[in-house]
Amino acid sequence: MCPSSFRGKLGRYPPWPGKVVSPPKDLKKPRGKKCHFVKFFGTEDHAWIKVEQLKPYHAHKEEMIKINKGKRFQQAVDAVEDFLKKAKGKEQNSDGKGDSKGRKTPTKPLKILEEDDEDLSDLTDSDPEPSTLERLGAGPGSGFNWESSPASSMEPISKRLKIVEEVNNRSTSIQAADSTAINGSITPTDKRIGFLGLGLMGSGIVSNLLKMGHVVTVWNRTAEKCDLFIQEGARLGRTPAEVASTCDITFSCVSDPKAARDLVLGPSGVLQGIRPGKCYVEMSTVDPGTITELSQVITSRGGRFLEAPVAGSQQLSNDGMLVILAAGDRTVYEDCSSCFQAMAKTSFFLGEAGNAARMMLILNMVQGSFMATIAEGLTLAQATGQSQQTFLDILCQGQMASTFVDQKCQNILQGNFKPDYYLKHIQKDLRLAISMGDKANHPTPMAAAANEVYKRAKALDQSDNDISAVYRAYIH
């Protein structure tokens, strides 16, 4: 009979099957509550998971299948069932056999653990029954992959903020590979936090700051968007200047360079509220020139400046699993540590102001170009009489398989273009990246071609749809 079995329950993340395994010898166990190192079926992802997040597989199998859909999840379930069959076969072969002295060896009884039961010391990688686990960023495609990540640069889950220096590129990262598990142990800063801009990204960020106990004052150009956060405990700022003057650290996340400049330099703008020691963190994706300008005007008033654009989507923002690229004043970066842990899985410090903008534009240039290519492939498959679903199935079994590809392609096939990242914003990022390439005298022909496709999609009224709506540029 199999030893202990588990299933996890952690809020809005769908469950995923896994099993407790022995961690690598040089991997430190997180402090705090009892937890175990878990491998996810159907993937090579691993993560530290708390005991109370584990529940029996069989007891919750049907519920889990109803929640999860998709080919990757089915493959994970198939892997679980195959594992159980093999484990059962081993038990049958060994059942009733005696030890070396001829005595019958008893089988170990099944033990179902309750939430407060921490007696898991007998579990290793021998043959535990699979558990279903909430995917907390540690599931397929988003969790920690021990096989490919050296312990020196990436710990799966850490209870404390870790700053890791990367010698090769002189960047620094705050690692938090499993945001929800990390968030449970965050000690929020006692500094007063301000946040300007409650769009797709900003809304999720503010929600996570509040959940983790931060004192947050919010402002948005459309004031009605503040109401929900006021109900959750946020304070209301009447103007950007008021927020900056009453808060120790003010974050902003708006749509483009013009909006970022207007927020700081316009009437009742941030600059009017900046005093010596006040911190301003620009999270918008803008060009390096805008960052340089904002940094200069903020520091000219005695303020401290940090840029911290975010890589991710609305869903990742809601889940607290963004990636933050920061640059500028290192002390501000350190002061923001609890905030960054609340909103992101990882945060990198890249040096002087402007570097984060450059890196973010490069990343979004690659993502935008890739999305356009995927859309082109789907439409070419259709034009040549091939099944688009089969194209996707094959794609998701190869080297380019990822959650991003699977989700975007499924959305296209379903005609669902609800924005997770606005098409108009990725086109803006492509335009800024091309301009950055021009200034560096570096060719960007692939990005330029993709940019034209997005411009056509915008002309077809797709600006406020998801980036995957670039597909429609090929079918009209």
Side-chain angles (χ1 to χ4, degrees):
M1 184 175 288
C2 290
S4 305
S5 58
F6 322 94
R7 177 204 181 268
K9 179 66 178 174
L10 281 174
R12 52 193 167 181
Y13 297 90
W16 198 272
K19 66 174 180 175
V20 175
V21 298
S22 298
K25 293 181 180 180
D26 55 349
L27 182 63
K28 294 182 180 180
K29 191 172 185 178
R31 299 178 183 178
K33 286 191 176 183
K34 188 86 172 178
C35 59
H36 288 272
F37 197 61
V38 174
K39 177 180 179 180
F40 293 89
F41 280 93
T43 78
E44 291 302 322
D45 290 333
H46 297 68
W48 287 108
I49 302 296
K50 294 177 183 177
V51 170
E52 61 265 27
Q53 298 165 4
L54 303 171
K55 299 290 179 179
Y57 169 73
H58 280 121
H60 297 270
K61 175 182 174 181
E62 295 304 321
E63 175 189 352
M64 178 179 63
I65 291 175
K66 289 179 181 179
I67 295 173
N68 287 279
K69 302 293 181 184
K71 196 174 185 67
R72 298 187 73 200
F73 174 73
Q74 185 57 52
Q75 290 171 346
V77 172
D78 292 343
V80 175
E81 297 300 329
D82 183 60
F83 172 84
L84 290 174
K85 287 179 182 178
K86 290 180 180 178
K88 186 176 181 180
K90 289 181 181 179
E91 289 165 5
Q92 291 176 341
N93 291 336
S94 62
D95 190 23
K97 290 183 179 180
D99 61 15
S100 59
K101 295 183 179 181
R103 294 173 300 194
K104 186 173 181 179
T105 305
T107 58
K108 201 167 187 178
L110 175 67
K111 174 178 169 58
I112 304 297
L113 296 178
E114 301 299 332
E115 286 195 0
D116 296 330
D117 191 342
E118 296 189 350
D119 183 17
L120 289 175
S121 58
D122 60 329
L123 286 178
T124 64
D125 197 18
S126 55
D127 61 346
E129 182 179 353
S131 27
T132 62
L133 306 168
E134 298 295 345
R135 277 182 52 192
L136 304 185
S142 55
F144 172 69
N145 186 324
W146 178 258
E147 300 293 336
S148 60
S149 301
S152 61
S153 64
M154 185 70 168
E155 293 284 339
I157 298 180
S158 170
K159 292 274 182 184
R160 294 175 176 268
L161 172 68
K162 289 200 318 165
I163 298 180
V164 181
E165 295 287 351
E166 298 186 11
V167 179
N168 292 338
N169 58 14
R170 297 183 181 178
S171 69
T172 303
S173 63
I174 296 176
Q175 301 288 3
D178 185 311
S179 180
T180 302
I182 296 286
N183 290 347
S185 64
I186 285 177
T187 300
T189 179
D190 57 3
K191 296 183 183 299
R192 293 164 297 181
I193 304 301
F195 204 95
L196 313 174
L198 300 174
L200 288 183
M201 309 298 278
S203 293
I205 291 172
V206 170
S207 180
N208 283 311
L209 287 172
L210 291 169
K211 287 176 184 176
M212 294 305 119
H214 295 84
V215 177
V216 185
T217 299
V218 297
W219 175 90
N220 191 71
R221 185 177 57 182
T222 307
E224 291 76 16
K225 285 190 176 182
C226 297
D227 293 344
L228 176 62
F229 302 100
I230 302 303
Q231 294 173 15
E232 293 181 1
R235 301 173 182 179
L236 179 63
R238 292 177 297 179
T239 66
E242 180 183 277
V243 174
S245 65
T246 58
C247 296
D248 301 303
I249 304 174
T250 299
F251 294 86
S252 72
C253 188
V254 293
S255 59
D256 55 33
K258 182 180 184 304
R261 288 192 181 94
D262 289 347
L263 198 60
V264 174
L265 304 173
S268 300
V270 168
L271 192 60
Q272 295 180 23
I274 292 294
R275 303 288 183 273
K278 297 286 186 181
C279 301
Y280 187 64
V281 182
E282 181 57 79
M283 304 192 80
S284 313
T285 300
V286 297
D287 58 287
T290 298
I291 290 299
T292 299
E293 179 182 356
L294 296 181
S295 176
Q296 289 174 347
V297 297
I298 294 296
T299 56
S300 70
R301 295 289 184 92
R304 299 155 62 203
F305 181 84
L306 184 77
E307 59 167 331
V310 294
S313 62
Q314 181 185 33
Q315 187 60 54
L316 292 176
S317 175
N318 292 341
D319 295 345
M321 294 297 288
L322 296 168
V323 174
I324 296 174
L325 308 183
D329 190 324
R330 176 62 178 268
T331 63
V332 180
Y333 176 68
E334 293 169 351
D335 286 344
C336 291
S337 62
S338 72
C339 297
F340 287 164
Q341 286 185 80
M343 64 181 78
K345 64 177 180 179
T346 307
S347 180
F348 291 88
F349 184 78
L350 303 178
E352 65 180 19
N355 282 344
R358 296 180 183 95
M359 185 68 79
M360 184 58 66
L361 289 178
I362 295 169
L363 290 169
N364 284 358
M365 177 190 76
V366 171
Q367 177 177 272
S369 300
F370 182 58
M371 184 68 251
T373 301
I374 293 297
E376 191 170 291
L378 279 168
T379 52
L380 181 59
Q382 184 179 44
T384 56
Q386 304 305 303
S387 165
Q388 291 180 319
Q389 183 61 59
T390 301
F391 166 75
L392 173 57
D393 292 342
I394 296 170
L395 194 64
C396 288
Q397 291 297 315
Q399 292 180 323
M400 290 186 291
S402 68
T403 301
F404 175 83
V405 170
D406 189 27
Q407 289 178 346
K408 295 304 180 186
C409 288
Q410 291 292 358
N411 288 346
I412 288 173
L413 297 184
Q414 295 166 13
N416 173 20
F417 298 106
K418 180 181 177 181
D420 198 34
Y421 192 93
Y422 285 122
L423 184 144
K424 61 185 178 184
H425 289 170
I426 202 70
Q427 189 275 321
K428 174 261 299 181
D429 296 341
L430 281 164
R431 173 173 54 81
L432 294 177
I434 293 167
S435 176
M436 184 172 70
D438 288 343
K439 292 176 182 177
N441 196 29
H442 183 82
T444 53
M446 303 302 293
N451 186 45
E452 293 304 314
V453 181
Y454 282 97
K455 285 164 64 176
R456 173 165 172 73
K458 286 177 65 178
L460 295 169
D461 296 325
Q462 301 302 311
S463 291
D464 292 326
N465 281 333
D466 186 69
I467 64 172
S468 54
V470 68
Y471 173 83
R472 289 181 167 166
Y474 287 97
I475 60 176
H476 287 88

